[in-house]
């Protein structure tokens, strides 16, 4: 199997995206695909039951460093996705990324370059870049 390339993926998206080529279609399909991710996660909880969400206010001691904060915070998910739910959520995320690629194509943004630049910023700024 060849390593994945966003450049090739962007080219594939450009080749197959014909019907929803308008920026309005791309933006609304992107939003729709994001909603489908949320729906697939919710169905994993409420329909399948392979995961549970136990949420509450996040709390941590006030005298800790920012880097220690991750030891106190949780994603509120308990359990693990079953194979069916993992595949469904993966499909919805892939569809979302498809429309991200279409959006990038519309504005001539190279995803590899964009992500390399972002990764470089993350590396430089570390956790302070996300505050
Ligand atoms: Zn499941």
């Amino acid at each position: 199997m060849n390593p994945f390339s966003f450049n090739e993926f962007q080219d594939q998206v450009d080749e197959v995206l014909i019907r929803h080529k308008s920026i309005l279609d791309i933006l609304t399909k992107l939003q729709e695909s994001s909603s489908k991710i949320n729906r697939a996660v919710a169905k994993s909880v409420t329909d399948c039951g392979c995961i549970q969400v136990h949420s509450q206010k996040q709390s941590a001691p006030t005298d800790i460093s920012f880097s220690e904060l991750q030891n106190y915070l949780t994603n509120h998910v308990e359990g693990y996705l079953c194979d069916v739910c993992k595949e469904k959520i993966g499909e919805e995320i892939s569809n979302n990324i498809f429309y991200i690629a279409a959006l990038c194509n519309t504005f001539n943004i190279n995803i590899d370059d964009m992500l390399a630049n972002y990764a470089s910023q993350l590396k430089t700024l570390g956790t302070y870049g996300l505050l």
Side-chain angles (χ1 to χ4, degrees):
M1 188 172 173
N2 292 332
F4 178 80
S5 159
F6 264 119
N7 282 334
E8 289 179 27
F9 184 70
Q10 276 194 269
D11 290 343
Q12 282 180 309
V13 169
D14 197 45
E15 287 174 22
V16 300
L17 186 69
I18 296 168
R19 192 159 163 234
H20 302 294
K21 196 90 173 174
S22 163
I23 186 63
L24 295 178
D25 288 324
I26 292 169
L27 289 172
T28 54
K29 292 294 280 183
L30 179 61
Q31 186 175 25
E32 179 185 51
S33 65
S34 181
S35 295
K36 286 184 173 180
I37 295 170
N38 295 343
R39 181 72 177 151
V41 172
K43 294 304 282 181
S44 295
V45 176
T46 62
D47 195 41
C48 179
C50 59
I51 59 170
Q52 298 176 331
V53 177
H54 295 278
S55 62
Q56 61 187 15
K57 180 181 178 185
Q58 305 263 20
S59 63
T62 55
D63 60 342
I64 60 172
S65 68
F66 186 76
S67 62
E68 294 173 303
L69 195 55
Q70 68 178 340
N71 298 326
Y72 293 92
L73 304 181
T74 174
N75 59 23
H76 295 143
V77 176
E78 292 184 11
Y80 298 94
L81 289 174
C82 69
D83 290 343
V84 173
C85 291
K86 186 177 270 190
E87 184 175 335
K88 177 65 176 169
I89 292 171
E91 287 172 7
E92 300 301 354
I93 292 171
S94 296
N95 194 38
N96 185 265
I97 293 172
F98 176 93
Y99 287 104
I100 292 284
L103 184 62
C104 288
N105 285 344
T106 300
F107 296 117
N108 199 27
I109 296 170
N110 180 283
I111 294 178
D112 276 330
D113 293 345
M114 176 184 72
L115 291 178
N117 184 41
Y118 190 73
S120 176
Q121 288 176 6
L122 288 177
K123 191 173 185 178
T124 301
L125 299 174
T127 54
Y128 298 105
L130 300 175
L131 295 177

